[in-house]
Every structure is written in structure tokens, then in C-alpha cells.
Amino acid sequence: MSEIPGTSGGAVWQSSPPGSIYDYIKVASFSIGPDGLVDQWSGRAVDLFGITASEVRGRDPIEVLLPEELRPRGRHRVKEILDGKEWTGLVPFRLPDTARGHGLAEVYVMPTETESGERAALCIVVDVRALRQIETDLAASQAIFGQSPFGFVLFGTDLKVKRANERFATVFGGSADDHRGRTVHDYLPRGEADRMTAALRRVLETGQSAIDLQLIGACPETAERRHWSINLYRVHSGTGRTIGVAGIGTDVTRRHVAAREAASARRNLALLNEASARIGNSLDLETTARELLDVAVPGFCDLASVDLYQALLAGDAAPPERQAAPAPGGGGRGSAALRRVAFASAVSDAPLITTPGCGSRGRTPTAVGEVHRYGAESPCAKALRTARVHTIPAEDGGLVQSTLAVPLVAHEVVVGLVQFSRTKGSEPFGERDRALAVELAARAAVCIDNARLYRREHERALILQRSLLPPGDPEAAGLDIACRYLPGNTATEVGGDWFDVIELPGHRTALVVGDVMGRGLRSAVAMGELRTAVRTLALLDLEPAEVLSALDEIARGLGGPSGAQQGARAAHRSREADLSEVYLATCVYAVYDPVTRRCTFANAGHLPPVLVEPGEEPLLLDVPPGMPLGVGGEPFEEVEVELPEGALLALYTDGLVESRDHPLDEGLRAFRAAIAAPAKSLARRDEGVSRLSLEDVCDHVLTTLDTRHGEDDIALLMAQVRGLPSDAVGDWTLPREPRSVGRARELSRALLVSWDLEPLVDTVELLVSELVTNALRYGEGEIRLRLLRDRTLVCEVWDSGLVQPRRRRARDTDEGGRGLQLVGLLSAAWGSRRTPRGKSVWFELALPDGGSSEPTVEQLLSMF
């Protein structure tokens, strides 16, 4: 109890707060009267000795407490005490409960006097076992607190340091006593100190421990950032009173660095995996560059750009280093021209990377698509020359902290440069980052180089393919023709689609549409070879089925060796390898005769032609499909169809009617529906109802159908039938007799005069005489003479003989043999062809333009 002065002058009595030393030390008291017997017995004595006051009061304490062998000495001591002497010592005592054995007490005996002046004694007893336990606990606490390798600190309820161990003092300086009274704000930055204070209050109020609280600060001796893991728990006295909060701190900086490096390694592996999955999905240069930046930003850096050599983008195969430009002032050579193809930023309103000077003053931002050069001494130019990574330092006041200039190297050739930049506030690039940057650039470089090679091959194939298509608007006698060709998108390789319009003798026209299976330059080359073969075979005037049979043989020979080499290698080549070299193609070959308006079709595995007759719905012509070219072994069939005046014929490739989004049958239905309405309007054009042209029909079809899928090339050839009028044809049968020569001249002269072609009369009479004479001399059967007028004048002489005329050079002494020479000299073209019943010899003349068509003297003398 303590007395505290009050404001009123009275005394206020207050109990000591729990948790004092007496709560831990068992102190008991009892008194001995003048007669040597127990007079008073405290409650603590009851707890210590296990004997109630009623059991011991009025009895000899020596008999009650001491063993029998110690009783004589005990009575002697009690007598001395009653004589007025103090005594302190260790006294073993007998516990009533024999199971507990003997106890040991430290006894302090003080002589006292009763009211009557008699001698008495007051005994204070302390359990020695409790004292020893306290000593052990204090020693253990001191050892743990003082010898702990961890920082140990005790905060009071006011959140000030009450005690700190030497380890804590070693980290933060001074001795352990110097830290008494400090707060967490004396050790940590403001933000971290506020977090720590809030945690202390929470532990103090709730009693819930805080485990592994991560804090960042710095030691007084160094500015290096340190990481600590703090464990906090509330501390109580023996009676449960809150004393404060104990904290144990561990320096986990190394563990944090290791964890950060491990996380960085995992991030790098994840980036590389992502790069493998995302870079190179396209064969487009710009798209591949953007895929690289999509992976790098923001996962690896904040800003990035890709520059590629302009020469490589333009398809130049020369090494870019040869195109390096002299630097201004003669200080070495700057880089070759580069084009910025991609830029990415994870920072809002971030400026473009300004690197044309790459560290030089006065540089300006480089926009995507801009062509630029790097200065000779710039880090970027050095990176391009050495094919090694160079670091570009930050500029004062700039946003960028540092930049890595990494060359894009593929197959030991530098194709460009990628720059990775981190802004201020981000973690600077380390060695691991440099290695990762090189790996990312290497993977992207291979994909970019593949895209470059593909682009070069694609452009070459495209040029080849375009050069093989008919130039301009094809013209044909008795036909209005319109055609369209749509290549696939940039991600699709060049296909083998082609179409052609070939003029044949007798104003006939061959219409061809084909498709070589496969893609790329090899398919384009195969398409060119087949197209050339078709034109060559067409000049021989073979039947459509014969043309396809010859094409089949040519297709089977494409891409393989010939002659003896082919025979030698065939013995060592498997059948599967042979089939892999076969070029397969589909083709429709049609020959149209404007005089009869009949068209003969032959098909090699291609889609059937579509015919729209006036006033009728579109229909697929029933042309036997046959096998594709290159398969071999099967003959091709012919189908002859009479086409009415004004009918519309459409030939096409599968890209027009088939894609992943819709099957072939659905595409064919859509094509027929798209061509139906405009075909009807086209058929009524001559009536003045509509001015729709054949070109408009093509545009309508391509607009209506799904032609933007980009999966395959599209070829469309449309022809409207315009047969030759009857007054533009002269057709006569002449008997096999000499006077037929004169009759042929008369008929020809009369018809030419009616056609207002008098300038051609003499030439035609001369040439007709030669052809009819040859038919009489070398041919067989009746002779047929036919004159056709369209864009040119064609004359045909038919007979039943199978022997083809052969032009030869007549000797000076020969009286004849100059007829065909004369025909070749005076005509624009001439030739012969087989017919189902013999042969036909023909020549062609251009219609007069006002000038004379008669042969000159020099031309006639050249035959002799």
C-alpha cells in the first residue's frame, strides 16, 4: 500500500498493481509467542507448508515443521531467538504430505515484544525453490535476450523501446542502453515507420501476433537498402498484465536478393516461352517486329523500337554493310539506311525513341516508317558493325534511364537493330537482362530473316505470276470477255491460278482456266510452264482432249530430271518420293467457234463451267471432270455445247467459291445466285433496258461473294457469246476440177466488194488461187472455201487430204514451190490444221486502213 497526497489534504490508499516481485516469490509469515508456540499463521504459510492455521496454532513449530533429527537444533535456535537474537538461515522442513518430501526455506527471524513486554518472534519464510526458479528464469531470459543472433527489442505500452539487445545495437549503432526511449521513426523511413507503428498498436490491442512483417530501411553506416523480417508478439506479466510488445528482427536482404533473382529468372524463362509462342506466327516483316515488341513491352522494358535495313526490306540481297554511308567530316562510315518498322511504349504520353544520332546532339524523334541512319561513332552504329550489345547511357533530364542497343543477327548476318529502354524509376538493366535481350533479339532475328526471305520469294513469284497472265483486256472474235484476278493476302503464298484467252485459226478462241496445287515460287513456275505449254499446244490446233492429255504428260515431268539421269535415279527412288515431285493441277480447256456458236469443253479435275442462257437460271455444265493433270493413266472426254446468242459463260478457280467459312456446295450456290440477276440485265442490254456491262457483272460477283478470305488466289473469266453474223461469213463448196480455181477467185472478189474491202481483192485472189491449186494438186475430195470477216479477214481452204502442207525454199531453177512462200509473204499469218475429215489451210489479213495492201516488187523478188 502507498500513500498519495490528495488535493483535499487527505490520504488516498492504493493497492500495488499486480505483477510485482511478490507475485513470483512465495513469501510466508507466522509469529511465535513467549511460550515458544505458534501464535499467528498467515495464508501464505498455509500455501507454503500445506497446514491450516487451526492445525498449527498453539503448537510447537519445531514439532510441526522440522524432521525429528533436526528438532534439538531447532529448539536451541528458538530459545536464542526468544532471548532477543535475530537469525537468518536455510531450514529444511517436513511437509505433512510425505509424498512431497522435505522442503527448504530461507527463514528470517526477528525478535518482537508483546503488549506485556514479553519476548516473542516474527518469522518470514521464503521458498528457496521459487527463488532458484526465478534465478534460472532470469539467467535464461538474459542469455536469450543478450546472446540472440537476432535483433531483439522490447517496446513498452507507449511504443517506446524499453530494452534492446546487443545484436540490435550492432545493426543500428551505439550500445543497447542508448536505444531506450526511442521509437520506430528513429530507425525506419516515414512510410515504413508508419506501417510498423500500426502493427505494434494492432498487436498491443488485439494480442494477435504479427508474423514475417517485411520492412525496408537502411543502416546508419551505409545507404544500402536492407530488408528485414519482423515478428511481433504481446508480452504479459505473471498475473496477465500487458507489459509491451516484443519484436524479433531478421535481416533477409540476401534472401530477398535471391528471391528477386529467382523471380527474374522465372520471368526471363516465361518471356522466352512467350517469345517462342508469339514471335514468328506471321511471315510479314512488320508483323514479326511488332510481335517482338508485344513480348518485350512491358514485360521486359518500358520502351522499344525495331529498325531493319532498308535494302533488305526492298528485296536487295547485298550485305547492308556495303551500303554504309560516309559520316559527315570523314570520321568513318555511318550505318546503312534503316527503316523504323515498329515502336511500343508502356508509358503514357512517352515520346518516340530519338535515336538517329544515337547519342548525338540535335537529334529528332524517329517515327515508324521513317528511313534514317546512325552516326559513325554512335553506340547504335557500333552495335550494327560489331554485332554486339551496346549500352546507351541516359541523358540528363530525360525520361529514359538506360537503353540496350541489340543487333538482330540471323545466320551470321545483321538484319537490323532493336532497342530496349527502361524509364527512370524502373530497375536498371543487369547482366541477366543483357543476356535475355540478346536471346530475344536472336529469336526474333531468325523469324524476321525468314519473313524477309519469304517476302523476296513471294514478290518474285508474284512478278512471275503477273507476267504470265494475259495483258490488258483480251479480245476474241464473237465474244465479249472480262476477267479478274485477285491474289491472296500478304500472309498467303502465291498460288498457281491462271487463265488465258488464245486466238485460234478461223476466228476461234480457246478459253483456259487452271490451278496448280500448292503454293510458292515452285507452283508459280509450274503454272508458267503449263501456261506456255497450253499456248504451244493451242497453236498446233489440237482438240481440247488432246491438249489436256499432252498437258498431263508435261505435268508429270515437271520438277524431275530427264533422260538418262531420270532413268538412273528412278531405280533408287521410292514411289512415295516420285509422287512428292509430281505437280498436280486442274484445268478447263474450251474452244469456241463464233461461226457455229459451238463450244467444245474438256476438263481435268477442275470445277465445272457455269452457263447462263438468256432468260434462264444459271446452271453447271455437265462436263466430265476427269483426273487432275499430273496423275496420268486416264483419257479425257470432250463435250460440245451450242451456246445461244447472248449467253454468258463463266470459268473460275476454287478460291472464288470455297474457303474455311463455307463449303464448296454452298459457294457454288452463292456464285450462281450472284451471277443470275446481272446476267439477265446484260442479256437485255441491246434492248436499251440496262447499260450493265460484262465488267460490271464481274465486279458484282466479286463484291457479292466472300472474296476477302485471303486463303487462295481467285481467277474469274467471263465471256458473253456474240456469234459472227451470217453476212460476215462466206462459205462455198467447190468441185475437184481445175476451173474451181477461177470460181474461187470470182466468189472471193464478189464477197470482198460487198464488204467494201476492195483494197484486199488482188491479194486475196492471188492467195486463194494458190491454196485452191494446192488442194487440187495434193489434196483429196471436195474443196471448201470460207471467208470470215471480223477484226481481221480470214480465208480457209478445206479438203479431205491428211498430208499437211510444208513450206520450203525453192531453188532458182525450180518452176514451182513458191506458193506457200507467197502466202507467208503477203499474209499477216497463215497455217494449217487437222479437221475431223481432213485438213484446213488458212491465211489471215489485216483489214485495210486506207493504204494499199498490194505486195511490193522487193517482196516478190525476195522469193527468187
Side-chain angles (χ1 to χ4, degrees):
M1 303 290 289
S2 59
E3 182 177 338
I4 301 177
T7 56
S8 60
V12 178
W13 294 90
Q14 174 180 305
S15 299
S16 298
S20 67
I21 189 64
Y22 299 106
D23 293 333
Y24 300 95
I25 303 175
K26 294 182 179 180
V27 179
S29 64
F30 63 91
S31 62
I32 300 177
D35 54 0
L37 302 179
V38 175
D39 185 16
Q40 294 181 351
W41 190 260
S42 68
R44 290 286 182 91
V46 175
D47 296 335
L48 177 62
F49 296 108
I51 303 174
T52 62
S54 59
E55 292 176 338
V56 72
R57 188 180 295 117
R59 296 182 59 184
D60 184 0
I62 302 302
E63 294 290 337
V64 174
L65 300 177
L66 295 182
E68 183 176 357
E69 63 273 13
L70 297 179
R71 290 174 184 173
R73 293 181 57 191
R75 291 189 180 93
H76 177 71
R77 293 295 182 189
V78 171
K79 184 178 179 181
E80 289 180 349
I81 291 170
L82 292 177
D83 289 340
K85 292 183 179 181
E86 292 186 0
W87 180 81
T88 301
L90 296 177
V91 177
F93 60 90
R94 179 174 57 84
L95 297 175
D97 186 358
T98 57
R100 295 174 59 188
H102 293 80
L104 184 63
E106 186 176 81
V107 182
Y108 177 50
V109 183
M110 297 174 290
T112 60
E113 291 184 358
T114 63
E115 294 180 358
S116 60
E118 294 179 308
R119 300 275 186 180
L122 176 62
C123 300
I124 298 177
V125 183
V126 177
D127 190 348
V128 175
R129 293 176 303 172
L131 289 176
R132 298 295 180 267
Q133 185 64 41
I134 292 174
E135 291 176 355
T136 301
D137 292 345
L138 288 175
S141 175
Q142 183 63 30
I144 294 174
F145 197 83
Q147 301 174 20
S148 172
F150 308 111
F152 212 117
V153 62
L154 178 64
F155 295 93
T157 55
D158 57 357
L159 304 185
K160 293 183 179 180
V161 176
K162 298 299 183 182
R163 188 177 179 184
N165 67 350
E166 292 298 330
R167 178 58 182 168
F168 184 87
T170 300
V171 174
F172 291 99
S175 63
D177 294 336
D178 294 337
H179 295 275
R180 296 181 186 272
R182 295 184 180 180
T183 66
V184 293
H185 289 274
D186 297 318
Y187 305 104
L188 299 173
R190 182 173 181 177
E192 296 293 87
D194 291 342
R195 290 181 55 228
M196 180 70 172
T197 301
L200 287 172
R201 286 199 177 98
R202 186 165 54 253
V203 172
L204 194 62
E205 293 172 359
T206 64
Q208 295 180 354
S209 301
I211 306 300
D212 196 20
L213 178 64
Q214 298 292 320
L215 298 174
I216 301 175
C219 299
E221 296 81 4
T222 176
E224 181 183 0
R225 289 159 56 96
R226 309 297 295 177
H227 295 261
W228 290 289
S229 173
I230 306 296
N231 296 322
L232 302 176
Y233 58 93
R234 193 168 67 182
V235 180
H236 306 88
S237 67
T239 58
R241 179 174 65 90
T242 300
I243 297 175
V245 177
I248 302 175
T250 306
D251 190 336
V252 293
T253 304
R254 291 184 178 180
R255 186 176 69 186
H256 182 81
V257 171
R260 184 175 60 187
E261 291 181 353
S264 177
R266 289 193 297 270
R267 181 198 65 186
N268 293 352
L269 288 175
L271 275 175
L272 291 178
N273 290 334
E274 185 180 5
S276 301
R278 297 181 60 181
I279 300 176
N281 293 324
S282 170
L283 287 174
D284 180 71
L285 283 168
E286 289 78 5
T287 302
T288 303
R290 288 194 296 268
E291 289 171 348
L292 168 61
L293 300 193
D294 289 342
V295 172
V297 180
F300 177 67
C301 61
D302 302 316
L303 303 170
S305 66
V306 176
D307 299 324
L308 299 179
Y309 279 117
Q310 175 67 10
L312 298 180
L313 291 172
D316 193 347
E321 291 78 5
R322 298 180 183 176
Q323 305 175 19
R333 299 179 67 85
S335 71
L338 298 105
R339 182 195 301 171
R340 179 146 299 172
V341 296
F343 171 79
S345 171
V347 183
S348 59
D349 300 330
L352 297 174
I353 296 180
T354 55
T355 52
C358 200
S360 62
R361 295 183 178 180
R363 55 191 176 138
T364 57
T366 305
V368 174
E370 184 176 343
V371 178
H372 61 90
R373 296 177 184 268
Y374 291 114
E377 299 303 321
S378 64
C380 294
K382 294 178 181 178
L384 290 170
R385 285 196 302 268
T386 62
R388 294 184 179 181
V389 182
H390 279 66
T391 301
I392 304 174
E395 292 185 350
D396 296 337
L399 175 67
V400 176
Q401 177 191 93
S402 62
T403 299
L404 295 179
V406 187
L408 294 166
V409 183
H411 307 109
E412 300 182 354
V413 175
V414 178
V415 298
L417 182 78
V418 58
Q419 297 181 67
F420 302 111
S421 300
R422 288 182 179 175
T423 57
K424 294 180 179 178
S426 299
E427 186 176 353
F429 288 114
E431 289 301 320
R432 290 179 181 269
D433 296 322
R434 290 172 65 92
L436 177 60
V438 172
E439 182 65 24
L440 286 174
R443 297 192 180 197
V446 173
C447 297
I448 288 174
D449 193 55
N450 290 339
R452 177 185 66 85
L453 295 175
Y454 167 77
R455 171 178 288 186
R456 186 173 66 183
E457 179 179 339
H458 185 273
E459 290 176 350
R460 291 177 179 178
L462 199 59
I463 293 172
L464 174 62
Q465 188 180 47
R466 295 295 188 273
S467 66
L468 296 174
L469 295 176
D473 297 327
E475 295 181 354
L479 292 175
D480 291 339
I481 295 178
C483 49
R484 293 290 186 273
Y485 179 82
L486 298 180
N489 57 34
T490 55
T492 306
E493 294 186 82
V494 172
D497 294 14
W498 91 92
F499 64 90
D500 208 346
V501 178
I502 307 171
E503 294 186 32
L504 300 177
H507 283 317
R508 294 171 305 132
T509 303
L511 304 176
V512 188
V513 169
D515 184 3
V516 177
M517 299 181 185
R519 300 189 178 279
L521 184 59
R522 290 166 59 86
S523 296
V525 171
M527 178 268 286
E529 295 185 14
L530 290 177
R531 179 179 179 272
T532 303
V534 170
R535 281 192 159 267
T536 303
L537 295 171
L539 293 178
L540 298 177
D541 212 349
L542 301 177
E543 296 297 325
E546 295 177 332
V547 171
L548 293 186
S549 297
L551 278 180
D552 181 57
E553 293 293 334
I554 294 172
R556 281 189 287 170
L558 291 179
S562 60
Q565 291 182 350
Q566 184 177 13
R569 294 183 183 180
H572 305 282
R573 189 183 301 164
S574 65
R575 178 175 178 82
E576 289 75 14
D578 288 337
L579 291 176
S580 66
E581 295 181 354
V582 172
Y583 284 85
L584 298 180
T586 62
C587 180
V588 169
Y589 186 86
V591 176
Y592 171 70
D593 188 343
V595 178
T596 61
R597 294 200 311 273
R598 301 187 70 84
C599 189
T600 304
F601 296 91
N603 190 357
H606 203 79
L607 295 174
V610 173
L611 178 65
V612 186
E613 297 184 6
E616 301 293 337
E617 293 297 323
L619 59 91
L620 298 177
L621 291 180
D622 187 13
V623 179
M627 300 297 292
L629 301 176
V631 175
E634 293 293 333
F636 297 98
E637 299 182 42
E638 293 181 357
V639 172
E640 188 176 65
V641 179
E642 183 174 354
L643 305 179
E645 183 74 16
L648 185 63
L649 179 67
L651 306 179
Y652 52 94
T653 57
D654 57 356
L656 181 67
V657 295
E658 186 178 24
S659 70
R660 295 191 185 97
D661 298 331
H662 53 76
L664 178 60
D665 292 342
E666 180 181 336
L668 289 173
R669 286 195 299 270
F671 177 41
R672 285 183 289 172
I675 202 175
K680 293 179 181 178
S681 300
L682 183 66
R684 302 180 62 189
R685 180 179 58 182
D686 296 336
E687 302 176 11
V689 178
S690 173
R691 295 184 178 180
L692 190 65
S693 67
L694 193 59
E695 297 288 339
D696 296 330
V697 177
C698 286
D699 293 336
H700 175 78
V701 170
L702 296 182
T703 303
T704 304
L705 299 181
D706 177 21
T707 58
R708 298 187 178 182
H709 51 75
E711 300 172 10
D712 197 1
D713 295 352
I714 295 174
L716 174 63
L717 177 61
M718 304 186 76
Q720 187 175 27
V721 175
R722 300 292 181 191
L724 289 181
S726 58
D727 58 358
V729 179
D731 195 348
W732 307 276
T733 301
L734 303 175
R736 190 171 187 79
E737 54 188 28
R739 63 178 181 176
S740 294
V741 177
R743 180 59 178 164
R745 287 198 300 267
E746 293 174 0
L747 294 172
S748 301
R749 179 187 301 110
L751 187 58
L752 292 177
V753 171
S754 66
W755 287 346
D756 295 329
L757 298 178
E758 288 86 353
L760 299 181
V761 169
D762 294 337
T763 303
V764 171
E765 283 186 334
L766 177 60
L767 299 184
V768 165
S769 297
E770 291 295 336
L771 295 187
V772 174
T773 299
N774 284 344
L776 289 172
R777 182 177 300 177
Y778 305 108
E780 298 177 4
E782 291 183 333
I783 298 172
R784 181 182 177 189
L785 173 64
R786 189 167 74 168
L787 291 179
L788 307 175
R789 185 195 65 183
D790 192 68
R791 292 176 292 112
T792 62
L793 178 68
V794 174
C795 176
E796 298 175 311
V797 175
W798 310 53
D799 69 78
S800 302
L802 298 178
V803 178
Q804 297 290 328
R806 180 172 62 88
R807 181 179 177 180
R808 63 183 179 84
R809 183 75 178 182
R811 294 189 296 269
D812 295 342
T813 59
D814 291 342
E815 296 182 358
R818 296 179 177 86
L820 293 182
Q821 280 187 264
L822 187 63
V823 173
L825 178 65
L826 299 181
S827 64
W830 79 280
S832 66
R833 62 185 177 93
R834 291 183 303 165
T835 65
R837 296 180 179 85
K839 67 177 181 298
S840 172
V841 183
W842 59 271
F843 67 85
E844 183 176 357
L845 294 175
L847 298 181
D849 54 1
S852 175
S853 61
E854 295 181 357
T856 63
V857 176
E858 289 78 7
Q859 290 176 325
L860 294 175
L861 291 177
S862 66
M863 296 186 297
F864 298 93

